[in-house]
Structures are given as structure tokens and as C-alpha cells.
Amino acid sequence: MDPKLKILVVDDMTTMRKLVIKACKDMGFTDISEAADGAKAWELCLNANPAFDLVISDWNMPNCTGLDFLKRVRADGRLKGTPFMLLTAESEASQVSEAIKAGVNNYVVKPFTGEGLKEKVNETLKKAGR
Amino acid sequence: MSRFPNAQDTERGTPRNVVKMPSVVGAEDAAKFNDESQSWLMLPVDIHVLDLAGVLSIDPAMYPSISAFSKLLKQNEKKLQSINASRPLLEKLANAGLKDLFGLVQPEAPKPQAGFDVRLINPFLKAVADVFNTQAQTKLTPQKPFIQNQNTALNIGIVGIVGLNCSQFKGNIALCFPSDVFLKIYERMLGESHKEISPETADLVAELLNIIYGQAKTELNCGLGLDLPPALPTVLRGEKLSLRQNSSAPVVVLPFQSDLGIFHVEIATMPTESKIQRSA
């Protein structure tokens, strides 16, 4: 796992972003960006060069949900291959299906432990060949 | 109109005469109490209860009247009890050695409210315990739930609140913390110590409630066929704390004990259309 990978953390809650960023830093990542909603995250993605190596996003956010953000990423020619994790309190089967249909690479249901999240991050990056 | 309105009830199984005491019981009330208590002796009940809810003070000149009534009841093998005294009043009467005279008992448990289904509470109880155990590394011990009344004194510094809106009922759930307990939980989760709650730290309560709501929603929607939608919590602090419960719906308080202190959850619901069959 390359610590220079670029990570984007998206959540409308400051404390949740802090928790996820802390877990990423514990894993050795140093290039971590953050956004408070899907709209801002989309702007960051468009301007990121090189593109982010991993997006970890919440689902329920104002302005643009994590699911809509995922759909935008998957519809973009340059960004469609970006490994994308949803980290969310939504756990109903219909929602998980919807996320898988939209192209999510991994789905983590809150609550989560730091170790559990790190495992899922590793798993996602490994599957994506990063 | 009587200074000491009374009514008989059998809610506790045994017939009782419940006397509502005025908020300020003065020396001038002694004579009225003596007169009215004579009529209560004729009632076919064995227990006479002085309801001290909302009573701010009892003039010591009243004590002989209460004492006389209590002795009369004992002579006739009946009992005097006093209920719902506020903590300050309880302490004052106890310090004056009057606990037995008044027959002071533990605060009366709230009466069950019609229209509230406990199957709605259990998923939230479970979710709170699970979320705090996993996300906040904090084990919780649920305390006995109760229904909030005007005498309930709750220590609250910050609240996360989210609406419960489905076709079966409307209401809300609030996650309520004393400030010191909230800051300790924050420190445990984030490793940061803060002396007071700020906008930066405050959204933790919304996130915890977001996760609790999400988990309970899944169980309620899948298990009971409800249609609770995703919802974003709001944070209330300071003056806005009083806004958290502003409907006539009964509020169930679920207290939780932890090594960082006590906090609680409030659930208020008003059924619109019940699709949940009540057990017999």
C-alpha cells in the first residue's frame, strides 16, 4: 500500500471527517483532502490532478448526496475508475443494492471501529490494484 | 372551590383517595385542611395520598394538621402517603424529621400513556448501546425508562434531534447530554480535550444520532414494516434546548449510565395510523 495515495474524505459532519482522516493517517496516508458535501467533493475531483486514488464518502449530505456524487464520478470519462467507498448509516438492503448498481466498490455501515475501517480501505485499494 | 381537591383512583390496584396539595401550603390552610380531611375519612378507601407535585413550600403551621390526620388514619387502620415531592421539598421534610409523618414515598411512576408501542423503543435502545460500544468505545447500562412529567429534572447541555416521520406515526428522537459528559465522550472518540462545547465539536451529537437513527430505522422498517425515511439530525444548544419537545406527545426518557456519566434519549411519538398490532 502506497502512503502517497491521494484520499478524499467526504462527510457533512466535521467530527466524522476527523475520525476517518485519523484512520487514514494511522494507515500512513499523508495526502488527504476533505469536503463537507457531494457538490464540493465533485469540484475537488474535477480539479484534482492526478485524480484521487480513493474516495470515502458519506451518503446523506446536503447539496449533493454521496450516492449522487458517486453517479457523477462513474459518469465521467476521466474519473469513472476512481475507487469509491460509501461510509454510511444507511443499511437497508434496498439502499445497498442501489449503491452497488451505481458502482460503489465497498460499503461500510456505521458504526465502525478504526480497525474495521482500515481493513475495508485496504480491501478496496487492493481490489483496485492500488 | 376546594383548596384541597381530591379524587379516588384504583390505578395501583388498591382504592386510594388522592388529594392535590396547592403549590404554597400556608398557615391559613390548616383550618381548611382540618375541615376537608373530616370528609375524606368517610371515603371507602384505606390509603389517603397527598400529591405534592408542584408544591413549593409547606408552612410548619400545617404540620399539626397533617399529624392529626395521620394519627386518625392509623387509629382506623388506614394509611397516609405523600407522593411526587420535589427533591428540595423531600430534603426539607426529611431534615425536619417528617418523612414518616407525611408517609413520603418514592416519586410515583408515570402512568402508562395510551398510544405508545414499546416495540418502537427497543430498536432505539439497542442502537444506542451498539453505537456507543462500537463508535465511542463506551459500554452503556440502560436505566429504567420513564415518561417525562413536569417534575422531571434533566441535566442537558447539548441535544441532537431528528424527526420520526412515517405513515404510522409522527414524532422525534433526541439524544441529550450534560455538557461534561459530552466533552468526555468527544475526548474518548477524537483524542481531543475541550473545556466547552463549540460549533466544531457540537456536530458529534448529530453524527451519533445519525448512526443510531440509521440502525434503528433499518430494524423498524424491515421488522415492523414502517417507512421511516433517511433524515438529517439537528443540533440544539443554549436557548434552543427548550425547543426539543414542543408537542403534546408523551415523551419517553431512556437514561443510560456509562463510565463517563449519565445521558439520555427522548422519544416522542403520536400515532397517525397504527399498523402495528398490539399484543393482548
PDB file of all heavy atoms in Angstrom, chain A residues 12-13 60, chain B residues 159-163 173 203 205-211 213 231-235:
ATOM      1  N   ASP A  12     -20.635  15.505   5.810  1.00  0.00           N
ATOM      2  CA  ASP A  12     -21.096  16.824   6.259  1.00  0.00           C
ATOM      3  C   ASP A  12     -20.779  17.059   7.730  1.00  0.00           C
ATOM      4  O   ASP A  12     -20.857  18.181   8.209  1.00  0.00           O
ATOM      5  CB  ASP A  12     -22.592  17.019   5.984  1.00  0.00           C
ATOM      6  CG  ASP A  12     -23.448  15.916   6.566  1.00  0.00           C
ATOM      7  OD1 ASP A  12     -23.022  14.750   6.556  1.00  0.00           O
ATOM      8  OD2 ASP A  12     -24.570  16.206   7.038  1.00  0.00           O
ATOM      9  N   MET A  13     -20.429  16.015   8.475  1.00  0.00           N
ATOM     10  CA  MET A  13     -20.116  16.166   9.905  1.00  0.00           C
ATOM     11  C   MET A  13     -18.602  16.284  10.095  1.00  0.00           C
ATOM     12  O   MET A  13     -17.854  15.374   9.727  1.00  0.00           O
ATOM     13  CB  MET A  13     -20.626  14.957  10.694  1.00  0.00           C
ATOM     14  CG  MET A  13     -22.104  14.728  10.553  1.00  0.00           C
ATOM     15  SD  MET A  13     -23.034  15.980  11.451  1.00  0.00           S
ATOM     16  CE  MET A  13     -24.711  15.418  11.138  1.00  0.00           C
ATOM     17  N   ASN A  60     -25.851  10.439   3.240  1.00  0.00           N
ATOM     18  CA  ASN A  60     -26.800  11.532   3.488  1.00  0.00           C
ATOM     19  C   ASN A  60     -26.070  12.835   3.757  1.00  0.00           C
ATOM     20  O   ASN A  60     -25.506  13.032   4.840  1.00  0.00           O
ATOM     21  CB  ASN A  60     -27.687  11.206   4.700  1.00  0.00           C
ATOM     22  CG  ASN A  60     -28.714  10.148   4.387  1.00  0.00           C
ATOM     23  OD1 ASN A  60     -29.234  10.111   3.282  1.00  0.00           O
ATOM     24  ND2 ASN A  60     -28.992   9.284   5.348  1.00  0.00           N
TER      25      ASN A  60
ATOM     26  N   VAL B 159     -28.113  18.763  22.555  1.00  0.00           N
ATOM     27  CA  VAL B 159     -29.085  17.790  22.060  1.00  0.00           C
ATOM     28  C   VAL B 159     -28.920  17.616  20.556  1.00  0.00           C
ATOM     29  O   VAL B 159     -28.718  18.591  19.839  1.00  0.00           O
ATOM     30  CB  VAL B 159     -30.525  18.283  22.335  1.00  0.00           C
ATOM     31  CG1 VAL B 159     -31.555  17.379  21.658  1.00  0.00           C
ATOM     32  CG2 VAL B 159     -30.792  18.360  23.816  1.00  0.00           C
ATOM     33  N   GLY B 160     -29.002  16.367  20.116  1.00  0.00           N
ATOM     34  CA  GLY B 160     -29.157  16.095  18.691  1.00  0.00           C
ATOM     35  C   GLY B 160     -30.581  15.607  18.521  1.00  0.00           C
ATOM     36  O   GLY B 160     -31.052  14.783  19.307  1.00  0.00           O
ATOM     37  N   ILE B 161     -31.288  16.128  17.533  1.00  0.00           N
ATOM     38  CA  ILE B 161     -32.688  15.747  17.391  1.00  0.00           C
ATOM     39  C   ILE B 161     -32.989  15.457  15.927  1.00  0.00           C
ATOM     40  O   ILE B 161     -32.470  16.112  15.023  1.00  0.00           O
ATOM     41  CB  ILE B 161     -33.620  16.850  17.950  1.00  0.00           C
ATOM     42  CG1 ILE B 161     -35.057  16.367  17.995  1.00  0.00           C
ATOM     43  CG2 ILE B 161     -33.506  18.147  17.162  1.00  0.00           C
ATOM     44  CD1 ILE B 161     -35.957  17.231  18.870  1.00  0.00           C
ATOM     45  N   VAL B 162     -33.814  14.431  15.720  1.00  0.00           N
ATOM     46  CA  VAL B 162     -34.205  14.098  14.349  1.00  0.00           C
ATOM     47  C   VAL B 162     -35.674  13.708  14.344  1.00  0.00           C
ATOM     48  O   VAL B 162     -36.179  13.110  15.302  1.00  0.00           O
ATOM     49  CB  VAL B 162     -33.302  12.963  13.779  1.00  0.00           C
ATOM     50  CG1 VAL B 162     -33.596  11.623  14.424  1.00  0.00           C
ATOM     51  CG2 VAL B 162     -33.446  12.855  12.283  1.00  0.00           C
ATOM     52  N   GLY B 163     -36.382  14.080  13.299  1.00  0.00           N
ATOM     53  CA  GLY B 163     -37.807  13.783  13.210  1.00  0.00           C
ATOM     54  C   GLY B 163     -38.050  12.321  12.899  1.00  0.00           C
ATOM     55  O   GLY B 163     -37.272  11.668  12.206  1.00  0.00           O
ATOM     56  N   ILE B 173     -36.874  11.931  17.921  1.00  0.00           N
ATOM     57  CA  ILE B 173     -35.966  11.310  18.883  1.00  0.00           C
ATOM     58  C   ILE B 173     -34.829  12.295  19.136  1.00  0.00           C
ATOM     59  O   ILE B 173     -34.307  12.915  18.207  1.00  0.00           O
ATOM     60  CB  ILE B 173     -35.437   9.940  18.399  1.00  0.00           C
ATOM     61  CG1 ILE B 173     -34.385   9.413  19.368  1.00  0.00           C
ATOM     62  CG2 ILE B 173     -34.911   9.985  16.987  1.00  0.00           C
ATOM     63  CD1 ILE B 173     -33.973   7.967  19.120  1.00  0.00           C
ATOM     64  N   ASP B 203     -21.150  18.953  16.402  1.00  0.00           N
ATOM     65  CA  ASP B 203     -21.806  18.076  15.428  1.00  0.00           C
ATOM     66  C   ASP B 203     -21.585  16.589  15.712  1.00  0.00           C
ATOM     67  O   ASP B 203     -22.227  15.740  15.090  1.00  0.00           O
ATOM     68  CB  ASP B 203     -21.493  18.474  13.982  1.00  0.00           C
ATOM     69  CG  ASP B 203     -20.122  18.036  13.492  1.00  0.00           C
ATOM     70  OD1 ASP B 203     -19.372  17.357  14.223  1.00  0.00           O
ATOM     71  OD2 ASP B 203     -19.788  18.390  12.351  1.00  0.00           O
ATOM     72  N   VAL B 205     -22.774  15.130  18.229  1.00  0.00           N
ATOM     73  CA  VAL B 205     -24.059  14.634  18.711  1.00  0.00           C
ATOM     74  C   VAL B 205     -24.966  14.313  17.533  1.00  0.00           C
ATOM     75  O   VAL B 205     -25.712  13.332  17.555  1.00  0.00           O
ATOM     76  CB  VAL B 205     -24.717  15.627  19.715  1.00  0.00           C
ATOM     77  CG1 VAL B 205     -25.245  16.881  19.031  1.00  0.00           C
ATOM     78  CG2 VAL B 205     -25.843  14.962  20.459  1.00  0.00           C
ATOM     79  N   ALA B 206     -24.894  15.125  16.485  1.00  0.00           N
ATOM     80  CA  ALA B 206     -25.712  14.859  15.303  1.00  0.00           C
ATOM     81  C   ALA B 206     -25.241  13.583  14.610  1.00  0.00           C
ATOM     82  O   ALA B 206     -26.050  12.783  14.143  1.00  0.00           O
ATOM     83  CB  ALA B 206     -25.653  16.043  14.342  1.00  0.00           C
ATOM     84  N   GLU B 207     -23.950  13.377  14.548  1.00  0.00           N
ATOM     85  CA  GLU B 207     -23.427  12.182  13.882  1.00  0.00           C
ATOM     86  C   GLU B 207     -23.792  10.915  14.660  1.00  0.00           C
ATOM     87  O   GLU B 207     -24.209   9.916  14.073  1.00  0.00           O
ATOM     88  CB  GLU B 207     -21.910  12.276  13.725  1.00  0.00           C
ATOM     89  CG  GLU B 207     -21.294  11.084  13.007  1.00  0.00           C
ATOM     90  CD  GLU B 207     -21.864  10.848  11.609  1.00  0.00           C
ATOM     91  OE1 GLU B 207     -22.040  11.834  10.851  1.00  0.00           O
ATOM     92  OE2 GLU B 207     -22.144   9.683  11.263  1.00  0.00           O
ATOM     93  N   LEU B 208     -23.655  10.964  15.977  1.00  0.00           N
ATOM     94  CA  LEU B 208     -24.038   9.793  16.786  1.00  0.00           C
ATOM     95  C   LEU B 208     -25.516   9.481  16.584  1.00  0.00           C
ATOM     96  O   LEU B 208     -25.901   8.326  16.409  1.00  0.00           O
ATOM     97  CB  LEU B 208     -23.741  10.046  18.270  1.00  0.00           C
ATOM     98  CG  LEU B 208     -22.256  10.055  18.656  1.00  0.00           C
ATOM     99  CD1 LEU B 208     -22.072  10.561  20.090  1.00  0.00           C
ATOM    100  CD2 LEU B 208     -21.635   8.671  18.517  1.00  0.00           C
ATOM    101  N   LEU B 209     -26.345  10.513  16.597  1.00  0.00           N
ATOM    102  CA  LEU B 209     -27.778  10.289  16.404  1.00  0.00           C
ATOM    103  C   LEU B 209     -28.068   9.800  14.990  1.00  0.00           C
ATOM    104  O   LEU B 209     -28.937   8.960  14.784  1.00  0.00           O
ATOM    105  CB  LEU B 209     -28.556  11.575  16.700  1.00  0.00           C
ATOM    106  CG  LEU B 209     -30.072  11.460  16.590  1.00  0.00           C
ATOM    107  CD1 LEU B 209     -30.607  10.365  17.507  1.00  0.00           C
ATOM    108  CD2 LEU B 209     -30.731  12.791  16.932  1.00  0.00           C
ATOM    109  N   ASN B 210     -27.323  10.315  14.015  1.00  0.00           N
ATOM    110  CA  ASN B 210     -27.470   9.871  12.629  1.00  0.00           C
ATOM    111  C   ASN B 210     -27.265   8.354  12.537  1.00  0.00           C
ATOM    112  O   ASN B 210     -28.043   7.632  11.917  1.00  0.00           O
ATOM    113  CB  ASN B 210     -26.439  10.602  11.768  1.00  0.00           C
ATOM    114  CG  ASN B 210     -26.450  10.141  10.315  1.00  0.00           C
ATOM    115  OD1 ASN B 210     -27.513   9.999   9.715  1.00  0.00           O
ATOM    116  ND2 ASN B 210     -25.280   9.909   9.757  1.00  0.00           N
ATOM    117  N   ILE B 211     -26.251   7.867  13.214  1.00  0.00           N
ATOM    118  CA  ILE B 211     -25.942   6.435  13.163  1.00  0.00           C
ATOM    119  C   ILE B 211     -26.996   5.638  13.939  1.00  0.00           C
ATOM    120  O   ILE B 211     -27.460   4.579  13.489  1.00  0.00           O
ATOM    121  CB  ILE B 211     -24.531   6.161  13.735  1.00  0.00           C
ATOM    122  CG1 ILE B 211     -23.476   6.984  12.982  1.00  0.00           C
ATOM    123  CG2 ILE B 211     -24.190   4.679  13.614  1.00  0.00           C
ATOM    124  CD1 ILE B 211     -22.097   6.942  13.611  1.00  0.00           C
ATOM    125  N   TYR B 213     -30.112   6.509  14.521  1.00  0.00           N
ATOM    126  CA  TYR B 213     -31.359   6.548  13.754  1.00  0.00           C
ATOM    127  C   TYR B 213     -31.287   5.581  12.577  1.00  0.00           C
ATOM    128  O   TYR B 213     -32.234   4.842  12.299  1.00  0.00           O
ATOM    129  CB  TYR B 213     -31.625   7.975  13.269  1.00  0.00           C
ATOM    130  CG  TYR B 213     -32.832   8.090  12.363  1.00  0.00           C
ATOM    131  CD1 TYR B 213     -34.123   8.026  12.888  1.00  0.00           C
ATOM    132  CD2 TYR B 213     -32.678   8.251  10.992  1.00  0.00           C
ATOM    133  CE1 TYR B 213     -35.230   8.123  12.049  1.00  0.00           C
ATOM    134  CE2 TYR B 213     -33.785   8.350  10.161  1.00  0.00           C
ATOM    135  CZ  TYR B 213     -35.050   8.289  10.691  1.00  0.00           C
ATOM    136  OH  TYR B 213     -36.146   8.381   9.860  1.00  0.00           O
ATOM    137  N   ALA B 231     -32.982  10.789   7.343  1.00  0.00           N
ATOM    138  CA  ALA B 231     -33.214  12.122   7.908  1.00  0.00           C
ATOM    139  C   ALA B 231     -31.905  12.667   8.465  1.00  0.00           C
ATOM    140  O   ALA B 231     -31.066  11.899   8.930  1.00  0.00           O
ATOM    141  CB  ALA B 231     -34.271  12.052   8.998  1.00  0.00           C
ATOM    142  N   LEU B 232     -31.761  13.968   8.418  1.00  0.00           N
ATOM    143  CA  LEU B 232     -30.548  14.621   8.924  1.00  0.00           C
ATOM    144  C   LEU B 232     -30.843  15.241  10.293  1.00  0.00           C
ATOM    145  O   LEU B 232     -31.758  16.054  10.416  1.00  0.00           O
ATOM    146  CB  LEU B 232     -30.086  15.718   7.954  1.00  0.00           C
ATOM    147  CG  LEU B 232     -29.558  15.233   6.599  1.00  0.00           C
ATOM    148  CD1 LEU B 232     -29.333  16.415   5.670  1.00  0.00           C
ATOM    149  CD2 LEU B 232     -28.268  14.452   6.781  1.00  0.00           C
ATOM    150  N   PRO B 233     -30.076  14.872  11.333  1.00  0.00           N
ATOM    151  CA  PRO B 233     -30.308  15.457  12.652  1.00  0.00           C
ATOM    152  C   PRO B 233     -29.919  16.935  12.721  1.00  0.00           C
ATOM    153  O   PRO B 233     -29.113  17.417  11.929  1.00  0.00           O
ATOM    154  CB  PRO B 233     -29.402  14.637  13.572  1.00  0.00           C
ATOM    155  CG  PRO B 233     -29.059  13.408  12.810  1.00  0.00           C
ATOM    156  CD  PRO B 233     -29.047  13.829  11.378  1.00  0.00           C
ATOM    157  N   THR B 234     -30.494  17.604  13.726  1.00  0.00           N
ATOM    158  CA  THR B 234     -30.171  18.998  14.028  1.00  0.00           C
ATOM    159  C   THR B 234     -29.569  19.046  15.417  1.00  0.00           C
ATOM    160  O   THR B 234     -29.909  18.228  16.272  1.00  0.00           O
ATOM    161  CB  THR B 234     -31.478  19.827  14.033  1.00  0.00           C
ATOM    162  OG1 THR B 234     -32.099  19.694  12.767  1.00  0.00           O
ATOM    163  CG2 THR B 234     -31.229  21.287  14.332  1.00  0.00           C
ATOM    164  N   VAL B 235     -28.677  20.015  15.649  1.00  0.00           N
ATOM    165  CA  VAL B 235     -28.062  20.184  16.970  1.00  0.00           C
ATOM    166  C   VAL B 235     -28.738  21.357  17.677  1.00  0.00           C
ATOM    167  O   VAL B 235     -28.950  22.409  17.072  1.00  0.00           O
ATOM    168  CB  VAL B 235     -26.548  20.461  16.853  1.00  0.00           C
ATOM    169  CG1 VAL B 235     -25.937  20.693  18.227  1.00  0.00           C
ATOM    170  CG2 VAL B 235     -25.847  19.303  16.161  1.00  0.00           C
TER     171      VAL B 235
END
